[in-house]
Amino acid sequence: MFTESHKAIAQEIWQAITAAKNILLHCHPSPDGDSVGSSLSMYHALKSVGKNVTPIWGDSGPTSQFSFVPGCDQIVAKNFFEVNLSQYDLFIALDSGSIDMISKKGEVKIPDHMKLVVIDHHASNARYGAINLVVDTYPATAQVNYELFSLWNIAITREIAQCLILGIFTDTGGFKYRGVTSRTFEIMAALSQIEPEFDRMISELENNNEYARVVFMGIALHSIKMFFDNKVAVSIVTHDQLLQNNIPEEATHKQGVANTLKSIRGVEVGVQCTEIAPDVVKFSFRSREGQRFDVSALAVALGGGGHKAAAATVVKMPLAEAVPRLCEVMKQLYPDLA
């Protein structure tokens, strides 16, 4: 449940929403289900109380993976720098732990006339907004949104429920990850009453893969290297391999490769390492035991962020340098691996 402090901040956010005329929402780069679900649930909620709201896809552009989610067709195919910010007086950044998760295409600067509200659940959140609601005990930003809508007396429609279910189900890995509590299940029980056909939505989500994404998964799982006495498994895919197999960058997003690597007996940390462009490498981290091997600290050390058990970053250096750099940082952070 929200603390009294959370409730006070929620009231500040509501006051900012009430005062706003035009509100901008976004999806973070490489949007996952929680990014899309939390943004669209906020979109539907604010539209229901008469607000003028515009959601944008952000850096990665439209993805067909979530095309079945209500309101997905209303997300504008623009990134932050393509938006006329003079038209908006409030920007709500959801599920974005740092300001560069609004966009990585340049330095994000919020104009003075536009208030920035941050709503998130990442422990590594930099609190970069004018108002910051970060509930790091919650497993998904969509769960934070549910509490907000309840406090704001916004009726949760079937459309909103579908978006919240998407965010909670995906960011908990189907209720497997740390942070899932009885409160999560209470909320899901309430949402399932509003959207009793939630199983169809989950089936659509899990059976809506693209050919290029499956090909990428095959290449990734065929290129595993073991480090630190087989305690760390790293899948390394080069940019040339992406080009040779006609795999677009977006097909490498949120693939679960690191989770699969983490499942190997004896492996403590799984890493998906993808050279998404020449001299640009993306790391996705998953930890078997986040308290012992906190991968959010690893991601932060490399310029990213996330959770103790799941985090990511992008580094701008050649692949041949990025992997040794990864090992160097891991050796410093995790003496138990050596």
Side-chain angles (χ1 to χ4, degrees):
M1 298 290 288
F2 271 15
T3 65
E4 291 304 314
S5 175
H6 294 147
K7 291 176 182 178
I9 298 171
Q11 184 58 31
E12 285 187 63
I13 296 173
W14 181 244
Q15 290 171 355
I17 289 170
T18 301
K21 294 182 179 179
N22 297 293
I23 303 171
L24 182 66
L25 306 174
H26 82 117
C27 296
H28 63 57
S30 306
D32 55 12
D34 196 24
S35 177
V36 174
S38 58
S39 291
L40 280 180
S41 63
M42 185 65 72
Y43 166 77
H44 289 300
L46 298 185
K47 289 287 285 186
S48 74
V49 294
K51 288 298 174 180
N52 185 25
V53 191
T54 303
I56 60 171
W57 275 112
D59 288 5
S60 300
T63 171
S64 60
Q65 185 181 8
F66 304 113
S67 58
F68 62 92
V69 182
C72 195
D73 58 343
Q74 298 302 307
I75 306 178
V76 179
K78 290 184 178 181
N79 64 53
F80 180 80
F81 295 102
E82 295 171 328
V83 174
N84 182 356
L85 298 179
S86 66
Q87 297 178 353
Y88 301 94
D89 48 3
L90 179 63
F91 180 28
I92 303 178
L94 292 141
D95 199 42
S96 298
S98 58
I99 198 164
D100 67 342
M101 289 299 286
I102 293 172
S103 178
K104 295 181 180 293
K105 293 185 177 291
E107 183 181 359
V108 174
K109 294 182 178 179
I110 306 299
D112 292 340
H113 74 274
M114 188 170 70
K115 179 170 283 189
L116 173 60
V117 168
V118 173
I119 300 172
D120 191 25
H121 72 123
H122 294 92
S124 60
N125 190 286
R127 273 75 170 176
Y128 53 94
I131 305 174
N132 301 283
L133 177 62
V134 181
V135 189
D136 58 15
T137 57
Y138 275 18
T141 300
Q143 184 169 323
V144 179
N145 276 7
Y146 177 90
E147 305 283 21
L148 287 174
F149 301 157
S150 299
L151 286 171
W152 296 340
N153 294 315
I154 292 178
I156 296 181
T157 62
R158 195 169 183 179
E159 290 177 326
I160 295 174
Q162 288 183 32
C163 297
L164 293 176
I165 290 170
L166 170 70
I168 294 172
F169 181 82
T170 56
D171 236 34
T172 62
F175 312 107
K176 297 193 297 286
Y177 301 154
R178 185 178 295 274
V180 174
T181 65
S182 59
R183 181 58 179 162
T184 308
F185 287 108
E186 287 173 4
I187 290 170
M188 286 298 294
L191 293 174
S192 68
Q193 291 182 2
I194 300 169
E195 175 46 276
E197 295 184 349
F198 64 91
D199 58 320
R200 292 188 181 183
M201 190 182 72
I202 292 172
S203 177
E204 180 73 22
L205 175 68
E206 295 188 337
N207 294 283
N208 191 30
N209 222 337
E210 297 171 356
Y211 175 78
R213 291 173 64 85
V214 177
V215 172
F216 171 77
M217 177 69 83
I219 295 170
L221 295 181
H222 193 65
S223 57
I224 303 170
K225 294 187 181 297
M226 306 299 285
F227 298 88
F228 296 101
D229 195 25
N230 295 330
K231 294 176 184 175
V232 176
V234 183
S235 166
I236 302 172
V237 178
T238 68
H239 187 244
D240 284 344
Q241 287 176 301
L242 298 183
L243 294 177
Q244 290 165 7
N245 291 277
N246 297 314
I247 300 173
E249 181 198 337
E250 56 267 24
T252 71
H253 300 165
K254 313 300 177 185
Q255 279 290 60
V257 172
N259 265 328
T260 301
L261 300 181
K262 181 202 67 177
S263 73
I264 299 171
R265 187 182 298 112
V267 168
E268 297 291 347
V269 178
V271 183
Q272 176 183 326
C273 170
T274 310
E275 186 184 26
I276 57 177
D279 299 339
V280 181
V281 178
K282 181 173 182 178
F283 289 117
S284 294
F285 308 112
R286 295 296 183 271
S287 174
R288 184 183 290 265
E289 178 45 66
Q291 296 298 325
R292 186 179 175 197
F293 299 105
D294 178 356
V295 290
S296 70
L298 175 60
V300 168
L302 292 168
H307 307 286
K308 289 185 177 182
T313 190
V314 175
V315 297
K316 293 184 178 180
M317 63 176 66
L319 182 60
E321 297 176 15
V323 176
R325 174 61 180 156
L326 169 69
C327 293
E328 177 187 337
V329 175
M330 293 187 82
K331 188 174 182 179
Q332 294 170 356
L333 290 176
Y334 313 135
D336 288 352
L337 285 177

PDB file of all heavy atoms in Angstrom, residues 138-155:
ATOM      1  N   TYR A 138       7.289  -1.530  -5.269  1.00  0.00           N
ATOM      2  CA  TYR A 138       6.300  -2.086  -6.200  1.00  0.00           C
ATOM      3  C   TYR A 138       7.009  -2.694  -7.406  1.00  0.00           C
ATOM      4  O   TYR A 138       8.016  -2.151  -7.886  1.00  0.00           O
ATOM      5  CB  TYR A 138       5.332  -1.003  -6.661  1.00  0.00           C
ATOM      6  CG  TYR A 138       4.165  -0.779  -5.711  1.00  0.00           C
ATOM      7  CD1 TYR A 138       4.216  -1.226  -4.387  1.00  0.00           C
ATOM      8  CD2 TYR A 138       3.023  -0.115  -6.129  1.00  0.00           C
ATOM      9  CE1 TYR A 138       3.144  -1.030  -3.532  1.00  0.00           C
ATOM     10  CE2 TYR A 138       1.943   0.092  -5.268  1.00  0.00           C
ATOM     11  CZ  TYR A 138       2.016  -0.370  -3.967  1.00  0.00           C
ATOM     12  OH  TYR A 138       0.954  -0.180  -3.124  1.00  0.00           O
ATOM     13  N   PRO A 139       6.475  -3.794  -7.953  1.00  0.00           N
ATOM     14  CA  PRO A 139       7.154  -4.479  -9.055  1.00  0.00           C
ATOM     15  C   PRO A 139       6.882  -3.893 -10.434  1.00  0.00           C
ATOM     16  O   PRO A 139       7.475  -4.329 -11.409  1.00  0.00           O
ATOM     17  CB  PRO A 139       6.589  -5.900  -8.959  1.00  0.00           C
ATOM     18  CG  PRO A 139       5.195  -5.697  -8.454  1.00  0.00           C
ATOM     19  CD  PRO A 139       5.291  -4.549  -7.493  1.00  0.00           C
ATOM     20  N   ALA A 140       5.991  -2.911 -10.520  1.00  0.00           N
ATOM     21  CA  ALA A 140       5.653  -2.326 -11.823  1.00  0.00           C
ATOM     22  C   ALA A 140       5.079  -0.928 -11.633  1.00  0.00           C
ATOM     23  O   ALA A 140       4.391  -0.663 -10.637  1.00  0.00           O
ATOM     24  CB  ALA A 140       4.641  -3.204 -12.563  1.00  0.00           C
ATOM     25  N   THR A 141       5.343  -0.054 -12.585  1.00  0.00           N
ATOM     26  CA  THR A 141       4.760   1.287 -12.543  1.00  0.00           C
ATOM     27  C   THR A 141       3.244   1.206 -12.706  1.00  0.00           C
ATOM     28  O   THR A 141       2.507   2.026 -12.154  1.00  0.00           O
ATOM     29  CB  THR A 141       5.374   2.176 -13.640  1.00  0.00           C
ATOM     30  OG1 THR A 141       6.783   2.278 -13.421  1.00  0.00           O
ATOM     31  CG2 THR A 141       4.776   3.571 -13.625  1.00  0.00           C
ATOM     32  N   ALA A 142       2.776   0.203 -13.431  1.00  0.00           N
ATOM     33  CA  ALA A 142       1.329   0.027 -13.592  1.00  0.00           C
ATOM     34  C   ALA A 142       0.655  -0.188 -12.240  1.00  0.00           C
ATOM     35  O   ALA A 142      -0.479   0.260 -12.028  1.00  0.00           O
ATOM     36  CB  ALA A 142       1.042  -1.146 -14.523  1.00  0.00           C
ATOM     37  N   GLN A 143       1.334  -0.847 -11.308  1.00  0.00           N
ATOM     38  CA  GLN A 143       0.756  -1.034  -9.981  1.00  0.00           C
ATOM     39  C   GLN A 143       0.683   0.295  -9.237  1.00  0.00           C
ATOM     40  O   GLN A 143      -0.275   0.557  -8.503  1.00  0.00           O
ATOM     41  CB  GLN A 143       1.562  -2.053  -9.171  1.00  0.00           C
ATOM     42  CG  GLN A 143       0.943  -2.357  -7.808  1.00  0.00           C
ATOM     43  CD  GLN A 143       1.579  -3.547  -7.111  1.00  0.00           C
ATOM     44  OE1 GLN A 143       1.948  -4.523  -7.753  1.00  0.00           O
ATOM     45  NE2 GLN A 143       1.722  -3.459  -5.783  1.00  0.00           N
ATOM     46  N   VAL A 144       1.681   1.149  -9.443  1.00  0.00           N
ATOM     47  CA  VAL A 144       1.650   2.503  -8.863  1.00  0.00           C
ATOM     48  C   VAL A 144       0.449   3.262  -9.425  1.00  0.00           C
ATOM     49  O   VAL A 144      -0.287   3.933  -8.688  1.00  0.00           O
ATOM     50  CB  VAL A 144       2.955   3.272  -9.178  1.00  0.00           C
ATOM     51  CG1 VAL A 144       2.900   4.685  -8.601  1.00  0.00           C
ATOM     52  CG2 VAL A 144       4.174   2.525  -8.632  1.00  0.00           C
ATOM     53  N   ASN A 145       0.227   3.138 -10.735  1.00  0.00           N
ATOM     54  CA  ASN A 145      -0.903   3.819 -11.364  1.00  0.00           C
ATOM     55  C   ASN A 145      -2.241   3.375 -10.774  1.00  0.00           C
ATOM     56  O   ASN A 145      -3.141   4.194 -10.581  1.00  0.00           O
ATOM     57  CB  ASN A 145      -0.906   3.556 -12.874  1.00  0.00           C
ATOM     58  CG  ASN A 145       0.007   4.502 -13.633  1.00  0.00           C
ATOM     59  OD1 ASN A 145       0.736   5.277 -13.027  1.00  0.00           O
ATOM     60  ND2 ASN A 145      -0.014   4.428 -14.946  1.00  0.00           N
ATOM     61  N   TYR A 146      -2.375   2.084 -10.503  1.00  0.00           N
ATOM     62  CA  TYR A 146      -3.629   1.592  -9.919  1.00  0.00           C
ATOM     63  C   TYR A 146      -3.921   2.320  -8.610  1.00  0.00           C
ATOM     64  O   TYR A 146      -5.051   2.752  -8.368  1.00  0.00           O
ATOM     65  CB  TYR A 146      -3.540   0.089  -9.671  1.00  0.00           C
ATOM     66  CG  TYR A 146      -4.780  -0.473  -8.997  1.00  0.00           C
ATOM     67  CD1 TYR A 146      -5.844  -0.944  -9.753  1.00  0.00           C
ATOM     68  CD2 TYR A 146      -4.892  -0.505  -7.599  1.00  0.00           C
ATOM     69  CE1 TYR A 146      -6.996  -1.446  -9.148  1.00  0.00           C
ATOM     70  CE2 TYR A 146      -6.033  -0.997  -6.984  1.00  0.00           C
ATOM     71  CZ  TYR A 146      -7.083  -1.468  -7.755  1.00  0.00           C
ATOM     72  OH  TYR A 146      -8.214  -1.941  -7.145  1.00  0.00           O
ATOM     73  N   GLU A 147      -2.910   2.460  -7.772  1.00  0.00           N
ATOM     74  CA  GLU A 147      -3.089   3.147  -6.493  1.00  0.00           C
ATOM     75  C   GLU A 147      -3.447   4.616  -6.711  1.00  0.00           C
ATOM     76  O   GLU A 147      -4.298   5.176  -6.001  1.00  0.00           O
ATOM     77  CB  GLU A 147      -1.818   3.044  -5.650  1.00  0.00           C
ATOM     78  CG  GLU A 147      -1.316   1.622  -5.400  1.00  0.00           C
ATOM     79  CD  GLU A 147      -2.116   0.874  -4.349  1.00  0.00           C
ATOM     80  OE1 GLU A 147      -3.280   1.243  -4.060  1.00  0.00           O
ATOM     81  OE2 GLU A 147      -1.578  -0.116  -3.810  1.00  0.00           O
ATOM     82  N   LEU A 148      -2.804   5.234  -7.702  1.00  0.00           N
ATOM     83  CA  LEU A 148      -3.098   6.638  -8.004  1.00  0.00           C
ATOM     84  C   LEU A 148      -4.548   6.814  -8.445  1.00  0.00           C
ATOM     85  O   LEU A 148      -5.247   7.711  -7.961  1.00  0.00           O
ATOM     86  CB  LEU A 148      -2.153   7.144  -9.093  1.00  0.00           C
ATOM     87  CG  LEU A 148      -0.699   7.389  -8.691  1.00  0.00           C
ATOM     88  CD1 LEU A 148       0.142   7.736  -9.915  1.00  0.00           C
ATOM     89  CD2 LEU A 148      -0.598   8.494  -7.649  1.00  0.00           C
ATOM     90  N   PHE A 149      -4.993   5.975  -9.362  1.00  0.00           N
ATOM     91  CA  PHE A 149      -6.363   6.108  -9.864  1.00  0.00           C
ATOM     92  C   PHE A 149      -7.373   5.918  -8.731  1.00  0.00           C
ATOM     93  O   PHE A 149      -8.413   6.593  -8.691  1.00  0.00           O
ATOM     94  CB  PHE A 149      -6.622   5.097 -10.981  1.00  0.00           C
ATOM     95  CG  PHE A 149      -5.696   5.220 -12.161  1.00  0.00           C
ATOM     96  CD1 PHE A 149      -5.479   4.147 -13.014  1.00  0.00           C
ATOM     97  CD2 PHE A 149      -5.022   6.409 -12.424  1.00  0.00           C
ATOM     98  CE1 PHE A 149      -4.623   4.256 -14.091  1.00  0.00           C
ATOM     99  CE2 PHE A 149      -4.151   6.529 -13.507  1.00  0.00           C
ATOM    100  CZ  PHE A 149      -3.952   5.432 -14.339  1.00  0.00           C
ATOM    101  N   SER A 150      -7.051   5.017  -7.808  1.00  0.00           N
ATOM    102  CA  SER A 150      -7.943   4.798  -6.667  1.00  0.00           C
ATOM    103  C   SER A 150      -7.997   6.033  -5.779  1.00  0.00           C
ATOM    104  O   SER A 150      -9.082   6.460  -5.349  1.00  0.00           O
ATOM    105  CB  SER A 150      -7.470   3.582  -5.857  1.00  0.00           C
ATOM    106  OG  SER A 150      -7.490   2.410  -6.645  1.00  0.00           O
ATOM    107  N   LEU A 151      -6.830   6.631  -5.519  1.00  0.00           N
ATOM    108  CA  LEU A 151      -6.776   7.844  -4.696  1.00  0.00           C
ATOM    109  C   LEU A 151      -7.475   9.013  -5.372  1.00  0.00           C
ATOM    110  O   LEU A 151      -8.086   9.859  -4.701  1.00  0.00           O
ATOM    111  CB  LEU A 151      -5.317   8.210  -4.389  1.00  0.00           C
ATOM    112  CG  LEU A 151      -4.581   7.348  -3.362  1.00  0.00           C
ATOM    113  CD1 LEU A 151      -3.099   7.708  -3.343  1.00  0.00           C
ATOM    114  CD2 LEU A 151      -5.170   7.534  -1.970  1.00  0.00           C
ATOM    115  N   TRP A 152      -7.377   9.067  -6.690  1.00  0.00           N
ATOM    116  CA  TRP A 152      -7.967  10.176  -7.438  1.00  0.00           C
ATOM    117  C   TRP A 152      -9.440   9.934  -7.780  1.00  0.00           C
ATOM    118  O   TRP A 152     -10.052  10.753  -8.476  1.00  0.00           O
ATOM    119  CB  TRP A 152      -7.191  10.399  -8.739  1.00  0.00           C
ATOM    120  CG  TRP A 152      -5.760  10.816  -8.544  1.00  0.00           C
ATOM    121  CD1 TRP A 152      -5.207  11.366  -7.420  1.00  0.00           C
ATOM    122  CD2 TRP A 152      -4.706  10.717  -9.504  1.00  0.00           C
ATOM    123  NE1 TRP A 152      -3.871  11.619  -7.631  1.00  0.00           N
ATOM    124  CE2 TRP A 152      -3.531  11.222  -8.903  1.00  0.00           C
ATOM    125  CE3 TRP A 152      -4.615  10.239 -10.814  1.00  0.00           C
ATOM    126  CZ2 TRP A 152      -2.301  11.271  -9.561  1.00  0.00           C
ATOM    127  CZ3 TRP A 152      -3.404  10.274 -11.474  1.00  0.00           C
ATOM    128  CH2 TRP A 152      -2.260  10.791 -10.851  1.00  0.00           C
ATOM    129  N   ASN A 153      -9.987   8.812  -7.324  1.00  0.00           N
ATOM    130  CA  ASN A 153     -11.387   8.459  -7.585  1.00  0.00           C
ATOM    131  C   ASN A 153     -11.703   8.378  -9.078  1.00  0.00           C
ATOM    132  O   ASN A 153     -12.782   8.799  -9.525  1.00  0.00           O
ATOM    133  CB  ASN A 153     -12.332   9.460  -6.900  1.00  0.00           C
ATOM    134  CG  ASN A 153     -12.247   9.376  -5.382  1.00  0.00           C
ATOM    135  OD1 ASN A 153     -12.238   8.292  -4.812  1.00  0.00           O
ATOM    136  ND2 ASN A 153     -12.159  10.530  -4.734  1.00  0.00           N
ATOM    137  N   ILE A 154     -10.751   7.851  -9.824  1.00  0.00           N
ATOM    138  CA  ILE A 154     -10.962   7.624 -11.253  1.00  0.00           C
ATOM    139  C   ILE A 154     -11.444   6.191 -11.443  1.00  0.00           C
ATOM    140  O   ILE A 154     -10.790   5.239 -10.999  1.00  0.00           O
ATOM    141  CB  ILE A 154      -9.663   7.855 -12.053  1.00  0.00           C
ATOM    142  CG1 ILE A 154      -9.291   9.348 -12.032  1.00  0.00           C
ATOM    143  CG2 ILE A 154      -9.815   7.357 -13.490  1.00  0.00           C
ATOM    144  CD1 ILE A 154      -8.006   9.675 -12.754  1.00  0.00           C
ATOM    145  N   ALA A 155     -12.587   6.038 -12.057  1.00  0.00           N
ATOM    146  CA  ALA A 155     -13.144   4.711 -12.285  1.00  0.00           C
ATOM    147  C   ALA A 155     -12.252   3.920 -13.242  1.00  0.00           C
ATOM    148  O   ALA A 155     -11.861   4.427 -14.303  1.00  0.00           O
ATOM    149  CB  ALA A 155     -14.550   4.832 -12.859  1.00  0.00           C
TER     150      ALA A 155
END
